[in-house]
Amino acid sequence: MTEGPVRTEAALIEQDRVTDWWSTAVSRVRPGEILLRGYPVEQLIGHVTFAEQIWLMLRGELPTPLQGKLLEAALVSAVDHGPQAPSIAAARMAATCGVGLNSAVATGAGLLGDTHGGAGQQCMEILERIVAGAEPRAVVAEFRERKAYVPGFGHRFHPHDPRRDPLLALVREAVEAGEVPGRALAAGLALEAALAEGRARPVPMNIDGATAIVYAELGFPAELGRGLFILSRSVGILAHAWEEHGSGTRIKGPLPRPLLAGYHGVAPRDLERARRMG
Amino acid sequence: MTEGPVRTEAALIEQDRVTDWWSTAVSRVRPGEILLRGYPVEQLIGHVTFAEQIWLMLRGELPTPLQGKLLEAALVSAVDHGPQAPSIAAARMAATCGVGLNSAVATGAGLLGDTHGGAGQQCMEILERIVAGAEPRAVVAEFRERKAYVPGFGHRFHPHDPRRDPLLALVREAVEAGEVPGRALAAGLALEAALAEGRARPVPMNIDGATAIVYAELGFPAELGRGLFILSRSVGILAHAWEEHGSGTRIKGPLPRPLLAGYHGVAPRDLERARRMG
Amino acid sequence: MTEGPVRTEAALIEQDRVTDWWSTAVSRVRPGEILLRGYPVEQLIGHVTFAEQIWLMLRGELPTPLQGKLLEAALVSAVDHGPQAPSIAAARMAATCGVGLNSAVATGAGLLGDTHGGAGQQCMEILERIVAGAEPRAVVAEFRERKAYVPGFGHRFHPHDPRRDPLLALVREAVEAGEVPGRALAAGLALEAALAEGRARPVPMNIDGATAIVYAELGFPAELGRGLFILSRSVGILAHAWEEHGSGTRIKGPLPRPLLAGYHGVAPRDLERARRMG
Amino acid sequence: MTEGPVRTEAALIEQDRVTDWWSTAVSRVRPGEILLRGYPVEQLIGHVTFAEQIWLMLRGELPTPLQGKLLEAALVSAVDHGPQAPSIAAARMAATCGVGLNSAVATGAGLLGDTHGGAGQQCMEILERIVAGAEPRAVVAEFRERKAYVPGFGHRFHPHDPRRDPLLALVREAVEAGEVPGRALAAGLALEAALAEGRARPVPMNIDGATAIVYAELGFPAELGRGLFILSRSVGILAHAWEEHGSGTRIKGPLPRPLLAGYHGVAPRDLERARRMG
């Protein structure tokens, strides 16, 4: 099909319809030019950090240096939680199945759903409510009534999450420097205090709560907090997939030989007999 | 953007360019009409089996009833191999992570790569060589020299694969009925015999070899044999994902409490100290 | 690590903990044996249809022949809807990116989420409500108030879905044969009638509604109806991925040359200047 | 199953077998402790950049500050190439299908296969050959004979890739500072020169070639260069998925209304008639 010299207004309308369908504000790519949120990519290379670039792509503007560092700290904090995590284990298994490294990473990222990666987003939504006026004790009572965990607090694993304190310290610094409002931090601490009331053992803030505070202070919407967790955890997913890929193991299942998966189904039966019986 | 009455030849050329880009011979979908390989879908519903429909979509024509039954038997044979298989285990884990059932199925299918699902395709390629004149003993020698397994034979798990005999019996019936040529069957049996020569323990044909013979006899290209294995195994993947989804387990990793993943990395170290040392 | 002769009760307890963690009722796989829902796989090969095998794996028992045929018809009906569907388009693109056929299928299945594959499940949930006593007109009013479509009815594409009538005819036959209760069918028809009341143009049942009725009549839970849609649509996904794979196109994007994606972001700007300004 | 006080040596052996199966050198996660390549995570938060953390997780040691900045520049350079890229387009479509943001990111990453993301890795392998002594002109002749593109050079899109010069400038600085050997840079430039010989139009280095040089100079294995491209491109994938998610579009296919996918298959035909004919 030749392009032809006839480019009528209707032809341009038809073409526009399709290119509009795939229009974006994130980037403009033309022969010889790549604009990322309006900036030529060659101006960004070597002049912004990877965390600043992430912010730019998601938010449309560059952060201040201190905001960039706070984002960076949160991204660093959540990169890995070991092979107990299904996202990591699944990626490790994928890396032994003869699929590309990209597929192993995709496998891991695909497991970061509402229950395995959603707590940060859910916590951000709760912080929003408290910043908007909700009473922390009331929120705690609400969850206690539903017999549900408050996302961002407690941990199936760590009595005290080692990532909480350094992240909150960085948030405090940013508040003192006037770079972030400090309201999400106050909300999170109030929630932590309300959770501790009348309990022998506290219910400390965990990584989801700490990063929720960071991302909320930095102005990210709750669902984008989930996206940032995905970028962060992809680093650990890649590292583990790479390590397993180099192990030489083939078709790695969850159990090593000679262990076999258990069975709790019906007793062995015969098809013909079952069909005769009805 | 209004469609307008101006539809010049150039406009149609522009539109054609895009719709051509997404053109297919598999189906035609227009308001009120769905043609699958030329047949109106309403004619197929209730008049073809699911296996016959699969054949139609992939090959463009319907199979004979006996060809359809042979395909059906192969699809039935490979649906599952238990949670030891990484495709099954990963799908089970995904089902506990708060992603949809479709994502759990996609996770499992994503692991059916060259090493965990590719043996059938690789075996079909070997059968093609033998049907084209390659000497089975030479092929065996080739693999022995590379210290590699011949795909389709032996098994990490089954001394005798219970799926081999019923599948080969069905192929023999089809050969006797004149429905399939019988050449891939002969090639596969010759390969099995060549593998057994001079060995105390035979190297019996496994599911990949048996289904390779079936798909080759039915005229499927090797890579499409892999596609059929994926459709088949997706059934087991779905069944396992569904079962795990109903278990109530959340964020299922590979190890049950209180087991922890092992560690064989560097000893704990201090960042400041490491930086001071250089 | 040697297996050793010491197998104390505690050792067996430890091993049991892990194999229990991966226990299933779907299948039992031991050297030389594969039981699928209790039946040796070699008894099933050649003796059950693929649709009957799907039912067995998901439900734990075999269907009657007529139930199997009804399931088969529903599976056949939903295999494809052409490259306009994102699940199909994404799989076609994947097939040109140098990933395996399994990854292309996984890509397509991964897009069958709540909005692109969830309508059948949502419709089944509505049918359950009506069978349990909810008044169809009230349900319709509920959706009208939310300005939402009733899942399973109307269609963005077909004024009359060609798959509705043959599927409902088969359900009626099964009702008359006493094989299915007929309550979901009555509920679906009542809903369709209620939707038509007081409207110039009817809001006919579409494929999601028709298959919802089939799966509900056959006793499948709503979410498993989604799983069955995934198995069905995977056939079309595979067929399209296979076709595109054979096209020779590399790295197929959504737009053919020379069309470019549109841009509606900020005007081109300079990084240094932006930083100087503050 | 109770844990019980009996923990014999055999019990520990059984447990060890499983935890060894999931052992890693990347991280150690114990209650209250997270070591990443030996460093407590709380020491890393706020003290390393995200790029340095990526290096640490993949390589096991921290980079020098200059090495970290060079990695950072390469990661920034490849974040996006617009919706023409299938990885971006597929992720945008996924974001409208009612799957989580993580699934949209996984969809995009899943398309970064050998042909859409593999060129950097393939170019690194060629640079290794030249550094090891292969003659650039011979390599060029090899590819010309196979009528194949030399990965890393030329571009389907950019006559001059705007990312080449800033990346190579940063490599030169690092060479002059004695931080990287400079051999991969020399190899890449020699290859570019050899490609230009006797041609009217040069075949300039593109992003895959430039980042290949960076990653090779930094000592990353070729396949890990692919992994780094995946981490980088995931940022653009997330940004585009997020934008599309916010657009309100549902079930976005490749074509806007009223365009339909083309059809080049068999003419419409009748099933009964086809079956009667044989």
Side-chain angles (χ1 to χ4, degrees):
Chain A
M1 194 136 310
T2 60
E3 200 181 329
V6 181
R7 294 184 54 75
T8 64
E9 186 186 328
L12 292 168
I13 288 173
E14 284 293 335
Q15 172 174 321
D16 283 347
R17 172 181 288 125
V18 179
T19 57
D20 278 357
W21 186 243
W22 285 105
S23 178
T24 175
V26 173
S27 57
R28 189 176 85 181
V29 181
R30 303 282 178 260
E33 175 195 79
I34 298 171
L35 298 181
L36 302 177
R37 295 291 187 178
Y39 295 110
V41 65
E42 61 270 23
Q43 294 187 4
L44 296 164
I45 294 172
H47 292 104
V48 300
T49 68
F50 191 37
E52 290 169 341
Q53 183 69 32
I54 289 170
W55 183 300
L56 175 68
M57 295 295 284
L58 296 177
R59 299 282 287 270
E61 298 297 331
L62 283 160
T64 67
L66 205 62
Q67 287 174 330
K69 288 203 180 320
L70 194 44
L71 171 62
E72 193 140 52
L75 291 172
V76 164
S77 72
V79 292
D80 191 14
H81 207 255
Q84 283 106 265
S87 55
I88 299 290
R92 291 190 74 109
M93 292 195 293
T96 66
C97 288
V99 296
L101 209 53
N102 70 300
S103 296
V105 171
T107 294
L111 262 62
L112 299 176
D114 286 345
T115 15
H116 181 37
Q121 175 183 345
Q122 295 149 20
C123 184
M124 286 177 77
E125 288 158 1
I126 294 170
L127 295 176
E128 279 169 21
R129 290 176 50 196
I130 294 173
V131 166
E135 173 57 47
R137 286 189 187 90
V139 172
V140 169
E142 195 186 296
F143 277 85
R144 286 214 169 112
E145 213 174 281
R146 291 165 28 196
K147 295 195 195 302
Y149 293 109
V150 178
F153 294 84
H155 206 292
R156 305 188 337 149
F157 198 87
H158 300 288
H160 180 89
D161 193 313
R163 298 160 292 186
R164 172 201 182 280
D165 297 348
L167 282 173
L168 295 194
L170 288 166
V171 175
R172 275 191 210 95
E173 283 181 32
V175 174
E176 277 151 32
E179 290 262 345
V180 297
R183 290 194 295 266
L185 174 63
L189 292 172
L191 198 45
E192 193 179 45
L195 270 163
E197 283 182 2
R199 295 179 72 111
R201 276 178 43 185
V203 187
M205 189 185 302
N206 59 44
I207 183 62
D208 296 315
T211 47
I213 287 174
V214 172
Y215 294 145
E217 288 290 347
L218 292 176
F220 285 95
E223 197 166 1
L224 212 40
R226 166 92 72 106
L228 291 166
F229 171 74
I230 294 162
L231 287 186
S232 174
R233 188 48 64 88
S234 291
V235 176
I237 286 170
L238 175 66
H240 281 271
W242 176 246
E243 182 186 54
E244 192 63 67
H245 175 78
S247 72
T249 308
R250 286 170 43 100
I251 321 177
K252 182 190 188 83
L255 300 167
R257 308 244 189 108
L259 298 184
L260 297 172
Y263 178 69
H264 61 266
V266 297
R269 50 183 170 170
D270 183 272
L271 180 63
E272 261 201 61
R273 197 156 165 274
R275 285 187 147 161
R276 278 199 315 266
M277 309 290 238
Chain B
M1 195 137 309
T2 61
E3 198 180 333
V6 182
R7 295 183 55 73
T8 64
E9 187 185 329
L12 292 169
I13 287 173
E14 285 293 336
Q15 171 173 324
D16 282 347
R17 172 180 290 123
V18 179
T19 58
D20 276 358
W21 186 242
W22 285 105
S23 178
T24 176
V26 174
S27 57
R28 188 176 85 181
V29 181
R30 302 282 177 262
E33 176 194 77
I34 298 170
L35 298 182
L36 303 177
R37 294 292 188 177
Y39 294 110
V41 66
E42 61 271 21
Q43 293 188 7
L44 296 164
I45 294 171
H47 293 104
V48 299
T49 68
F50 191 36
E52 290 169 343
Q53 183 69 32
I54 291 169
W55 182 300
L56 174 68
M57 295 295 283
L58 296 178
R59 300 281 288 270
E61 298 296 332
L62 282 160
T64 67
L66 205 63
Q67 287 174 330
K69 288 204 178 322
L70 195 45
L71 171 62
E72 194 141 51
L75 291 172
V76 164
S77 72
V79 292
D80 191 15
H81 206 256
Q84 282 106 265
S87 55
I88 299 290
R92 290 190 74 110
M93 292 195 294
T96 66
C97 289
V99 295
L101 209 53
N102 70 299
S103 296
V105 171
T107 295
L111 262 63
L112 299 177
D114 285 345
T115 13
H116 182 36
Q121 175 183 345
Q122 295 149 20
C123 184
M124 288 176 77
E125 288 159 0
I126 293 170
L127 295 176
E128 278 169 21
R129 290 176 51 195
I130 293 173
V131 167
E135 172 57 48
R137 284 190 188 90
V139 171
V140 169
E142 196 185 297
F143 277 84
R144 286 216 169 111
E145 212 173 283
R146 291 165 26 197
K147 295 195 195 302
Y149 293 108
V150 178
F153 294 85
H155 206 293
R156 304 187 341 147
F157 199 85
H158 300 289
H160 179 89
D161 193 313
R163 297 161 292 186
R164 172 201 182 279
D165 296 349
L167 283 173
L168 295 194
L170 287 166
V171 175
R172 274 190 209 95
E173 283 182 31
V175 174
E176 277 151 32
E179 291 263 345
V180 299
R183 288 194 295 267
L185 174 64
L189 292 172
L191 198 46
E192 192 180 46
L195 270 163
E197 283 182 1
R199 294 177 74 111
R201 277 178 41 185
V203 185
M205 190 185 302
N206 59 42
I207 183 62
D208 296 315
T211 47
I213 286 174
V214 171
Y215 295 145
E217 286 291 348
L218 292 176
F220 285 94
E223 197 165 0
L224 212 39
R226 166 92 72 105
L228 290 165
F229 171 74
I230 293 162
L231 288 185
S232 174
R233 187 48 64 89
S234 290
V235 175
I237 286 170
L238 175 66
H240 280 271
W242 176 247
E243 182 186 55
E244 192 63 66
H245 175 78
S247 72
T249 308
R250 286 170 44 99
I251 320 177
K252 181 191 189 83
L255 299 168
R257 308 245 189 107
L259 299 185
L260 299 172
Y263 178 69
H264 61 267
V266 296
R269 49 183 171 171
D270 183 272
L271 179 63
E272 262 201 60
R273 197 156 167 277
R275 286 188 146 160
R276 278 200 314 268
M277 310 291 240
Chain C
M1 194 138 308
T2 59
E3 201 182 328
V6 181
R7 293 184 56 72
T8 64
E9 186 186 329
L12 292 168
I13 287 173
E14 284 294 335
Q15 172 172 323
D16 282 348
R17 173 182 288 123
V18 179
T19 57
D20 276 357
W21 185 242
W22 286 104
S23 177
T24 175
V26 174
S27 57
R28 189 176 84 182
V29 181
R30 303 281 177 262
E33 175 195 78
I34 298 171
L35 298 181
L36 303 177
R37 295 290 188 177
Y39 294 111
V41 66
E42 60 270 23
Q43 293 188 6
L44 296 164
I45 295 172
H47 291 105
V48 299
T49 68
F50 191 36
E52 290 169 341
Q53 182 68 33
I54 289 170
W55 183 301
L56 175 68
M57 295 295 284
L58 297 176
R59 300 280 290 268
E61 298 297 332
L62 283 161
T64 67
L66 204 62
Q67 288 174 329
K69 288 202 176 326
L70 194 45
L71 171 61
E72 194 141 51
L75 291 172
V76 164
S77 71
V79 293
D80 191 16
H81 207 254
Q84 282 106 267
S87 55
I88 298 290
R92 290 190 75 109
M93 292 195 293
T96 66
C97 289
V99 295
L101 210 53
N102 70 299
S103 295
V105 172
T107 294
L111 261 63
L112 299 177
D114 285 347
T115 14
H116 182 36
Q121 174 182 345
Q122 295 149 20
C123 184
M124 287 177 76
E125 288 157 1
I126 295 171
L127 295 177
E128 279 168 22
R129 290 176 52 194
I130 295 174
V131 167
E135 173 57 48
R137 286 190 187 91
V139 172
V140 169
E142 197 186 296
F143 276 85
R144 287 218 166 110
E145 212 172 282
R146 290 165 30 196
K147 294 196 196 301
Y149 293 110
V150 178
F153 293 85
H155 206 295
R156 307 187 339 147
F157 199 85
H158 300 289
H160 179 89
D161 193 313
R163 297 161 293 186
R164 172 201 183 278
D165 296 349
L167 282 173
L168 295 194
L170 288 166
V171 175
R172 276 190 208 94
E173 283 181 32
V175 173
E176 278 153 31
E179 290 263 345
V180 299
R183 290 194 295 267
L185 174 63
L189 292 172
L191 197 47
E192 192 179 46
L195 269 163
E197 282 182 3
R199 294 178 74 110
R201 277 178 41 185
V203 186
M205 189 186 301
N206 58 44
I207 183 63
D208 296 315
T211 46
I213 286 175
V214 172
Y215 294 144
E217 287 290 348
L218 292 176
F220 285 94
E223 197 165 359
L224 212 39
R226 165 94 72 108
L228 291 165
F229 171 73
I230 294 162
L231 288 185
S232 174
R233 188 48 64 90
S234 291
V235 175
I237 286 169
L238 175 65
H240 281 270
W242 176 248
E243 183 186 55
E244 192 65 64
H245 175 79
S247 72
T249 306
R250 287 169 42 100
I251 320 175
K252 182 190 189 84
L255 299 169
R257 308 244 190 107
L259 299 184
L260 298 172
Y263 179 69
H264 62 266
V266 296
R269 51 182 169 172
D270 183 271
L271 180 62
E272 262 201 62
R273 197 156 166 275
R275 284 186 147 161
R276 278 199 315 265
M277 310 288 240
Chain D
M1 194 137 306
T2 61
E3 197 181 332
V6 181
R7 296 184 53 74
T8 65
E9 186 187 327
L12 293 170
I13 288 174
E14 285 292 335
Q15 172 172 323
D16 282 349
R17 172 181 289 124
V18 179
T19 59
D20 277 357
W21 186 242
W22 285 104
S23 177
T24 175
V26 174
S27 56
R28 188 176 85 181
V29 181
R30 302 282 176 261
E33 176 196 77
I34 298 172
L35 298 182
L36 302 177
R37 294 291 188 177
Y39 295 111
V41 66
E42 61 271 22
Q43 292 188 5
L44 297 165
I45 294 172
H47 292 105
V48 300
T49 68
F50 191 37
E52 290 170 340
Q53 182 67 34
I54 289 170
W55 182 301
L56 175 68
M57 294 296 285
L58 296 177
R59 301 281 288 270
E61 298 297 332
L62 282 160
T64 67
L66 205 61
Q67 287 174 330
K69 288 203 179 322
L70 194 44
L71 172 61
E72 194 141 50
L75 290 171
V76 164
S77 72
V79 291
D80 191 14
H81 207 255
Q84 281 107 267
S87 54
I88 298 290
R92 291 190 75 110
M93 292 196 293
T96 67
C97 287
V99 296
L101 209 52
N102 70 298
S103 296
V105 171
T107 295
L111 262 62
L112 299 177
D114 285 346
T115 14
H116 182 37
Q121 174 183 347
Q122 294 148 22
C123 183
M124 287 177 76
E125 288 159 0
I126 294 170
L127 295 176
E128 279 169 20
R129 290 176 52 195
I130 295 173
V131 166
E135 173 57 48
R137 286 191 189 91
V139 172
V140 169
E142 196 187 298
F143 277 85
R144 287 217 167 110
E145 212 173 280
R146 290 164 29 195
K147 293 192 196 303
Y149 294 109
V150 178
F153 294 84
H155 205 294
R156 306 191 336 151
F157 199 85
H158 300 289
H160 179 89
D161 193 313
R163 298 162 291 187
R164 171 201 183 280
D165 296 348
L167 283 173
L168 294 194
L170 288 166
V171 176
R172 275 191 208 96
E173 282 181 33
V175 174
E176 278 152 33
E179 289 264 345
V180 298
R183 289 194 295 267
L185 175 63
L189 293 172
L191 198 45
E192 193 180 45
L195 270 163
E197 282 183 3
R199 295 178 74 111
R201 277 178 41 185
V203 186
M205 190 185 301
N206 59 44
I207 183 63
D208 297 314
T211 47
I213 286 174
V214 171
Y215 294 145
E217 287 290 348
L218 292 176
F220 284 95
E223 196 164 1
L224 212 39
R226 166 92 74 107
L228 290 165
F229 171 74
I230 294 162
L231 288 185
S232 173
R233 188 47 65 89
S234 290
V235 175
I237 286 170
L238 176 65
H240 281 271
W242 176 247
E243 182 187 54
E244 192 64 66
H245 175 77
S247 73
T249 307
R250 288 171 42 100
I251 320 176
K252 182 191 188 82
L255 299 169
R257 308 247 188 104
L259 298 185
L260 299 172
Y263 178 69
H264 62 266
V266 296
R269 49 182 171 171
D270 183 272
L271 180 63
E272 263 202 60
R273 197 157 166 273
R275 284 187 148 161
R276 277 199 318 265
M277 311 289 240

